[in-house]
Amino acid sequence: MTAWMIITARIHDREAFISGYGPAAAKLVEKFGGKYMVRAPGAMLLEGDGMDGASVVVSEWPSRAAALAFWQSPEYAEVRKLRDGLADVQVMLVGA
C-alpha cells in the first residue's frame, strides 16, 4: 500500500542545501522507488505549531517498507550528513 514521506524544513543556507544535499537525496529517493510529489518553499501555516514559511517535500513510496528502506539505508545516512547545520527538519511517514 502506498506511503508518503512528509518533510518540513527551515533551511538556513538554501544554496548549500540545494547544491549538495538536494541532488544527492533525490538520486536515492529514485533508487529506492520513491518519487517527489511536492518540493516547495514558503509553506503557510494555517493552524497549530509548526514552521511557517518552511520548505515542504512530499514523496510517494510503493509502501512504508520501501520508504523505511530508504530512510534507514547506509547510503542515506551518508547523504543526510550533507544537510547537517543547513536545516531544521521534521519528517513524518504516513501510510501502510
Side-chain angles (χ1 to χ4, degrees):
M1 179 177 257
T2 304
W4 296 268
M5 190 175 291
I6 303 163
I7 300 169
T8 55
R10 182 166 315 285
I11 299 173
H12 307 298
D13 184 340
R14 185 165 293 281
E15 181 58 38
F17 190 91
I18 290 173
S19 65
Y21 172 79
K27 287 179 187 175
L28 286 179
V29 166
E30 184 177 335
K31 176 182 175 181
F32 280 87
K35 64 179 179 177
Y36 290 116
M37 306 306 290
V38 175
R39 289 193 286 183
M44 180 186 298
L45 183 66
L46 299 178
E47 185 174 339
D49 297 324
M51 290 191 241
D52 193 48
S55 292
V56 175
V57 175
V58 179
S59 54
E60 183 178 272
W61 299 85
S63 65
R64 181 180 286 245
L68 288 172
F70 157 78
W71 189 256
Q72 297 169 345
S73 71
E75 297 99 326
Y76 184 65
E78 287 301 310
V79 168
R80 190 169 32 224
K81 292 176 186 177
L82 296 173
R83 74 165 199 236
D84 285 351
L86 299 180
D88 300 320
V89 179
Q90 294 179 326
V91 182
M92 293 189 309
L93 184 58
V94 180

